[in-house]
Amino acid sequence: MLKTGLAAVCGFLLTVSASQAATVKVIINNYMFMPDRIVAHPGDVILFSNQDTDPHTATSLDGKSFDSNTIDPGSSWSFTVKAVGTYKFHCAIHPDMLGEIDVQ
Ligand SMILES: [Cu+2]
């Protein structure tokens, strides 16, 4: 846990010095993530906005990187990406809804 925290802090500091963090928007609508492949950099914020009529989640398939829990229609949820890597995710309510975040 401590090791992860230190890596995150180092990654954050490197990102701030190298470039401005961005917010990457993902729309959830019609049982899809749009876009479903997201490219981001450490320190960026990924903002999921549920514009569908049903609740959805954004849940990493590795079971630990991130989990929005339920995002109600009209609601949003965001988190900050930290470590470089590829993170596949789905909606825990509708597991056929798939997406991927590539942190570079
Ligand atoms: Cu869903």
Side-chain angles (χ1 to χ4, degrees):
M1 196 62 187
L2 180 61
K3 197 174 177 186
T4 305
L6 285 173
V9 168
C10 291
F12 178 72
L13 291 174
L14 284 171
T15 301
V16 167
S17 63
S19 65
Q20 201 79 9
T23 297
V24 182
K25 293 176 182 167
V26 182
I27 304 296
I28 308 172
N29 202 354
N30 199 26
Y31 293 83
M32 289 184 291
F33 297 101
M34 298 179 289
D36 60 4
R37 180 174 181 266
I38 300 134
V39 176
H41 306 288
D44 286 353
V45 173
I46 314 295
L47 175 68
F48 291 87
S49 179
N50 184 1
Q51 298 181 4
D52 213 341
T53 53
D54 285 297
H56 297 292
T57 81
T59 305
S60 63
L61 294 187
D62 64 13
K64 61 183 181 187
S65 292
F66 58 90
D67 185 1
S68 67
N69 294 305
T70 302
I71 309 171
D72 287 322
S75 295
S76 299
W77 176 79
S78 66
F79 78 108
T80 302
V81 292
K82 297 186 176 86
V84 168
T86 299
Y87 303 89
K88 293 183 186 296
F89 63 91
H90 71 169
C91 170
I93 304 167
H94 314 101
D96 288 344
M97 293 173 59
L98 295 167
E100 179 179 310
I101 303 173
D102 289 334
V103 182
Q104 305 174 347

